[in-house]
């Protein structure tokens, strides 16, 4: 799994940090920071859910 | 609730029959005409969108614009076309929308919001102390549901809570379906004038609050905001910051009292609380009518052709009760455990204050039922005064006893 985040698209809703806090955080400006771009397998489900929930389409998963 | 005339699917808004459920006509529309044309009370027509996936598409695709200055942008309440002449940034598209929103995202991050927990808990405890000192019946809206989020947003923005009666009644008037165009304009004018005075005060005597920060950092000449832009932003933060959550607290309390098994589950396991808040947001969908758009280009949605310039209403309650996504949507189930409802909208305009709202709802509802375990509504639930026909659904009053 490879997580990507586009901070030019992010609107700082915080859904990712709420859903998968081990994988995502919000920087001081509110925009997404990926803590674990290649999360361990036990985090895959939460990470994929966070990507699905992202309202702005800033997150991607490969 | 009884209704003597059959619902006319061609006129809009449709009325809720059970106040704790969307209008039943949404089910028929979703099944038979998922994108259907309706007449608006302000004149003109718009497309109603009722399927979850279609609602998400409307709210996230650039083919649908949130730009309220586009000719023909749909409005549901008289006088609201005036708001759209100089719209708040929730009625703008990127990149303008992003320009304004990014001035605020840092104030509403999860981390920032979580630092507010002790303050919110203290506010809620004090309100309930005062409520319990009174002789029932007491109006839970006036004594708790409205002051709790009002106190929180006042503290965050630096608005004196002593002014609450004026900004609450004016915000309510702007959002109410019962206001005439003149009443709505007067109320909005009053809110603007009030905020203008407050901005002047913050320029003279800045405090440790968000308004002062916006004034010192974003207002011209130091920043990039004209005074009228800052004014509109602050009016929106103040109004959105209390009306929405107040309606959710009062309706959420009623919904839990009407589902004693769910309330009992919640009492026995506080770990269910965040999921219960999500489920209440889904189930009650108070902002059902807020997410209006206009087609920016000729496009197609669910097999229906939509032409550039036509209005679109993405019904949040209809999406949140789509049985293909939420099985048995009529069942309030605190174990449902998902967050993909669109109670806060979707796309780049999704609610800026959603994490603050979640925290307020968690604290307000859990503390309410912990402190007043015998809480009950003193009149039949379908006879309560609901905010039918307004932009936000909710309760005018909620008489309770214990």
């Amino acid at each position: 799994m490879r997580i990507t985040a586009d901070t030019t698209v992010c609107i700082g809703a915080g859904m990712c940090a709420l859903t998968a806090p081990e994988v995502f955080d919000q920087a001081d400006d509110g925009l997404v920071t990926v803590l674990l771009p290649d999360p361990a397998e036990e985090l895959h489900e939460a990470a994929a859910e966070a990507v699905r929930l992202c309202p702005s389409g800033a997150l991607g998963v490969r | 609730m009884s209704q003597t005339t059959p619902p006319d699917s061609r006129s809009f808004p449709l009325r809720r029959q059970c106040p704790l459920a969307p209008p039943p006509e949404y089910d028929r529309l979703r099944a038979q005409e998922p994108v259907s044309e309706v007449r608006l009370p302000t004149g003109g027509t718009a497309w109603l969108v009722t399927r979850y996936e279609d609602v998400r598409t409307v709210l996230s695709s650039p083919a649908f614009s949130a730009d309220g200055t586009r000719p023909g942008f749909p409005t549901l309440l008289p006088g609201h076309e005036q708001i759209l002449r100089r719209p708040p940034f929730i009625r703008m598209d990127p990149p303008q929308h992003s320009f304004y929103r990014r001035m605020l995202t840092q104030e509403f991050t999860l981390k920032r919001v979580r630092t507010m927990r002790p303050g919110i808990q203290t506010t809620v405890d004090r309100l309930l102390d005062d409520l319990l000192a009174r002789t029932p019946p007491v109006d839970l809206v006036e004594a708790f549901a409205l002051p709790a989020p009002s106190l929180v947003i006042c503290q965050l923005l630096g608005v004196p809570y002593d002014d609450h009666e004026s900004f609450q009644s004016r915000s309510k008037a702007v959002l109410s379906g019962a206001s005439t165009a003149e009443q709505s304009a007067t109320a909005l004018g009053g809110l603007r004038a009030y905020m203008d005075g407050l901005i002047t005060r913050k320029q003279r005597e800045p405090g440790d609050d968000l308004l002062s920060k916006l004034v010192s950092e974003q207002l011209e000449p130091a920043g990039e905001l004209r005074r009228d832009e800052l004014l509109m932003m602050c009016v929106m933060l103040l109004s959105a910051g209390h009306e929405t959550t107040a309606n959710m607290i009062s309706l959420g309390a009623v919904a839990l009292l009407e589902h004693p098994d769910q309330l009992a589950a919640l009492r026995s396991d506080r770990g269910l609380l965040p999921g219960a808040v999500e489920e209440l947001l889904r189930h009650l969908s108070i902002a059902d009518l807020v997410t209006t758009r206009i087609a920016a280009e000729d496009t197609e949605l669910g097999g229906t052709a939509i032409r550039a310039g036509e209005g679109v209403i993405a019904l949040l309650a209809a999406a949140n009760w789509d049985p293909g996504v939420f099985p048995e949507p009529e069942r309030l189930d605190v174990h449902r455990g998902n967050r993909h409802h669109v109670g806060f909208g979707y796309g780049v305009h999704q609610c800026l204050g959603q994490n603050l709202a979640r925290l307020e709802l968690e604290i307000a509802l859990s503390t309410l039922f912990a402190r007043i375990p015998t809480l009950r509504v003193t009149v039949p639930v379908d006879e309560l005064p609901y905010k039918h026909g307004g932009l936000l659904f909710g309760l005018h009053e909620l008489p309770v006893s214990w």
Side-chain angles (χ1 to χ4, degrees), chain B residues 238-311:
Chain B
L238 178 59
S239 296
H242 74 275
E243 263 284 325
T244 47
T245 312
N247 289 321
M248 271 304 300
I249 292 172
S250 55
L251 276 184
V254 173
L256 288 171
L257 288 168
E258 286 290 288
H259 294 82
D261 57 327
Q262 300 300 304
L263 182 55
L266 204 50
R267 284 185 203 276
S268 63
D269 181 1
R270 278 183 64 91
L272 291 172
L273 195 53
V277 167
E278 301 298 335
E279 176 66 349
L280 288 168
L281 288 161
R282 178 195 74 80
H283 202 257
L284 297 168
S285 296
I286 60 157
D288 184 30
L289 306 177
V290 170
T291 37
T292 43
R293 296 289 185 269
I294 188 166
E297 57 193 60
D298 291 348
T299 185
E300 193 190 298
L301 185 70
T304 301
I306 297 179
R307 300 175 70 94
E310 292 180 340

Side-chain angles (χ1 to χ4, degrees), chain B residues 372-391:
Chain B
I372 319 180
T374 57
L375 187 77
R376 60 186 171 82
V377 184
T378 60
V379 299
V381 162
D382 58 1
E383 290 172 19
L384 289 168
Y386 292 95
K387 296 178 181 173
H388 288 289
L391 265 196

